[in-house]
Amino acid sequence: MDTLWDNIEKLSAVCRAAGAHLPDEELKALQVGKVGEEAGEAMHALHGLKGLTTCGDDHTWSEVHNDLVGAVIAALLAMHYIDPTGARATFDETLYRRTRRGRETAATA
């Protein structure tokens, strides 16, 4: 069974092939921008869920979840574009550091 990072590496290869006509730095920048686009779609779905859109779009929590996962995938792809050999380790180190407070709180509860 493929791991999350195995799938990210496969998707990265497909996306890089599609963008092969672009300079590497531009491809990286576009992928970082994709993270914001996907997050914006999640926000739009949330607004639609709460009846706050003017275009009459109705949305569900499932659509919000789908768009959030899209943002996560886009972010992991961006990390892989920036550093294909170090993205996994960077992610693990950053996740560990940024969740320290939660681990400490859980340990004392």
Side-chain angles (χ1 to χ4, degrees):
M1 179 151 101
D2 290 341
T3 69
L4 171 68
W5 279 104
D6 293 333
N7 285 309
I8 292 299
E9 288 175 3
K10 290 174 184 174
L11 185 56
S12 179
V14 170
C15 293
R16 278 187 171 277
H21 62 286
L22 298 171
D24 191 55
E25 290 302 309
E26 186 175 346
L27 194 57
K28 290 175 187 177
L30 288 168
Q31 188 58 42
V32 170
K34 183 71 173 168
V35 177
E37 178 194 348
E38 292 289 341
E41 289 178 12
M43 196 68 216
H44 175 79
L46 180 60
H47 280 210
L49 177 73
K50 298 297 181 178
L52 299 174
T53 62
T54 57
C55 55
D57 288 350
D58 289 332
H59 292 276
T60 64
W61 280 113
S62 178
E63 291 173 278
V64 175
H65 287 159
N66 183 63
D67 291 333
L68 288 171
V69 170
V72 169
I73 291 168
L76 294 176
L77 276 172
M79 289 183 69
H80 191 267
Y81 278 24
I82 292 165
D83 184 7
T85 59
R88 289 181 192 213
T90 299
F91 179 84
D92 289 344
E93 291 165 13
T94 304
L95 179 66
Y96 185 82
R97 186 182 73 249
R98 294 192 66 166
T99 59
R100 176 188 54 83
R101 205 174 309 165
R103 286 191 315 278
E104 290 171 354
T105 301
T108 60

